[in-house]
Amino acid sequence: LPFIYGFANTRWMNMIDVMLEKKPGVRHIHMLRIIGLVCPELNTALSYFIGHLGQKNFELTNPTDEQHGSRRHRQSIDAAMLKLLTMETARMGMRTIAMTQYDEKNCFDRIYRQNSNIFAQKAGVSKNILISQTLVKDNMKRRVKTGLGITNQTYHQTGGEPTLDGEIQG
């Protein structure tokens, strides 16, 4: 119903942030990976209504064979092995090569929802689904989970403050 009529389900407005070290022993807040644990049905519904449609549209653009991220019959180990073999071939042939990486650091935190919503609508995602998703994210009460447990207090978006933007990685 929220996706049909474009409203926010209050059950979906709770999230637990789990902070993981990207590099062992480095616990600076800007160096942690934050995984958002949301209500399972919200996660599944967004994956179904937005993720599968986005993947289908991506495949219709005829991406190159070098693109491995989240594609059917492609695994991250394949991309890593391809990179290793390329580097080793260049090293053995004593050739200079250059490599470009397009994966942005903390990319989920840097996606502006206004932009992603425009692209999602262009790809055929219902406007009411995007309205519901935006209302949920704007009103989400967030708790933090550490080794000591889950906090009782929450943090959330309040009026007049900079937007807690980005997509939820989880």
Side-chain angles (χ1 to χ4, degrees), residues 13-77:
M13 292 186 207
N14 294 296
M15 182 172 83
I16 297 173
D17 285 332
V18 179
M19 298 182 183
L20 305 171
E21 298 174 355
K22 288 183 182 178
K23 297 179 182 176
V26 178
R27 295 187 180 113
H28 302 290
I29 190 73
H30 67 286
M31 297 291 289
L32 297 174
R33 179 175 312 273
I34 301 174
I35 305 294
L37 302 178
V38 296
C39 189
E41 57 264 20
L42 170 65
N43 201 23
T44 301
L46 290 176
S47 173
Y48 179 78
F49 288 115
I50 297 175
H52 292 299
L53 182 61
Q55 191 66 33
K56 186 173 102 179
N57 286 333
F58 174 74
E59 291 296 336
L60 291 174
T61 64
N62 297 321
T64 67
D65 286 336
E66 288 84 19
Q67 177 65 39
H68 280 72
S70 301
R71 290 184 69 193
R72 187 176 296 246
H73 307 300
R74 304 254 164 90
Q75 298 177 1
S76 60
I77 193 71

